[in-house]
Amino acid sequence: MILDGPWRHDPGAQAVLGLLAGAGHRALVVGGCVRNAALGEAAGDVDIATDARPERVMELAAAAGVKAIPTGIDHGTVTIVAEGTGYEVTTFRKDVETDGRRAVVAFSDRIEDDAARRDFTMNALYADADGKVIDPLGGLGDLMARRVRFVGEPRGRIAEDYLRILRYFRFHAWYGGAEEGLDAEALAACAELAEGLERLSAERIGAEMRKMLCAPDPAPSIGAMAQAGILARILPGAGVAMLAVLVHLEGLAGRAPEAMRRLVALGGEDAAGRLRLSRAETTRLDLLARAVDDTAGAAELAWRHGPDIARDVELLRAARFDALLPADLEDRIARGAGAKFPVRGSDLAGHLAGPEIGAALREMESRWIASGFTLGRDDLLKEGSP
């Protein structure tokens, strides 16, 4: 199979591949870039695998006058900067020892060794500079069948790094087929070894959950996590029912996936702490969760928090009650987003003082909102005058 992957049109990637190949080494693009190119989807970073040792990669780059950074040289990774872009070049490796979080590796000359240490067969795909695919483990067939399959025996692969439990569900959410479903052996291994998740940091767990929640439809994968007892370990109290409805409503409304909106639907105890959310993410999560439960309508939400929050809150409210969005929702949001409260504190300064001004403004604001933002300055001042 020949792929017209992005690296074929990337001068920097071609330069790095040529630098290595020109010195007699194997130089292959590997992983997500190849996987996504085979699916016809947008590809991310171009990662390169080679049989050249990292010291040799550094030497070749220096001889060519190209910048090389030993970003992870002990584990075989050198970043070469070509045409203004950094490319990670990693020597073929095989695992020598693992403890469920990190591995001790040895360098190898064999692509088969490098492929055997990867998590899923669809990630053990390689391609040369011209796009020819090298598939040591049959991952291409799995990919085209939308089948997420561990490399080798699932329990052994998970025991090397327990984050692979969450990665399995995340990859199924992004690349798995609905008809194919989850592999029974893999699912059993994830359930059996779920206790190992407690060894992982909140940052690593949170990163996987964010990526999973941004999949087109993560509900089936997260539902399988719940059935396997995994969801309760990482986010106690979470449930998938509202999430499934939300995803459907998002599709009807043309709303793109968004992790915090979906996390509100998922629920659970102390999501911000357990998933180590950023301050901005926590603020958004808390705002959405509170707004779903208050009485403010879409127009008021748009006025107070902007159209984006208003749409998300209305989606969450509809999902909670398994209802459709109001037909006039966008009109309401537009009315609130464009409204401007017509009274200022200076309008009351000659009549009231101190805290009385704030109280009067809040009372006028309530009447203004209740009127559908129609009352003008004079009406509010007249009705609010002592």
Side-chain angles (χ1 to χ4, degrees), residues 6 34 85 97 120 166 225 229 308-309 369:
V34 182
T85 300
E97 181 182 343
F120 310 117
L166 298 184
M225 287 172 59
D308 184 61
I309 290 292
I369 293 170

Side-chain angles (χ1 to χ4, degrees), residues 115-121 137 142 149-158 160 183 185-186:
R117 71 178 300 273
R118 296 182 181 271
D119 48 9
F120 310 117
T121 58
L137 303 176
D142 288 333
R149 185 166 65 88
F150 278 104
V151 171
E153 198 273 318
R155 287 168 181 80
R157 190 84 318 138
I158 291 170
E160 294 169 353
D183 177 72
E185 184 182 5

Side-chain angles (χ1 to χ4, degrees), residues 129-155:
D130 296 324
K132 181 181 178 181
V133 174
I134 297 95
D135 180 15
L137 303 176
L140 191 59
D142 288 333
L143 179 65
M144 294 309 173
R146 295 283 184 169
R147 181 171 52 244
V148 183
R149 185 166 65 88
F150 278 104
V151 171
E153 198 273 318
R155 287 168 181 80

Side-chain angles (χ1 to χ4, degrees), residues 22 69 86 89-90 94 107 187 229 239 255 336 369 374:
I69 307 167
V89 178
T90 303
K94 58 183 177 180
F107 301 137
L187 190 58
R255 292 285 280 170
I369 293 170
T374 60

Side-chain angles (χ1 to χ4, degrees), residues 80-120:
I80 295 182
V81 181
E83 302 291 331
T85 300
Y87 301 88
E88 287 194 354
V89 178
T90 303
T91 303
F92 293 156
R93 299 174 294 178
K94 58 183 177 180
D95 288 334
V96 175
E97 181 182 343
T98 60
D99 65 0
R101 290 182 298 176
R102 61 184 66 85
V104 176
V105 299
F107 301 137
S108 173
D109 297 318
R110 303 177 65 249
I111 190 175
E112 292 82 4
D113 289 336
D114 193 70
R117 71 178 300 273
R118 296 182 181 271
D119 48 9
F120 310 117

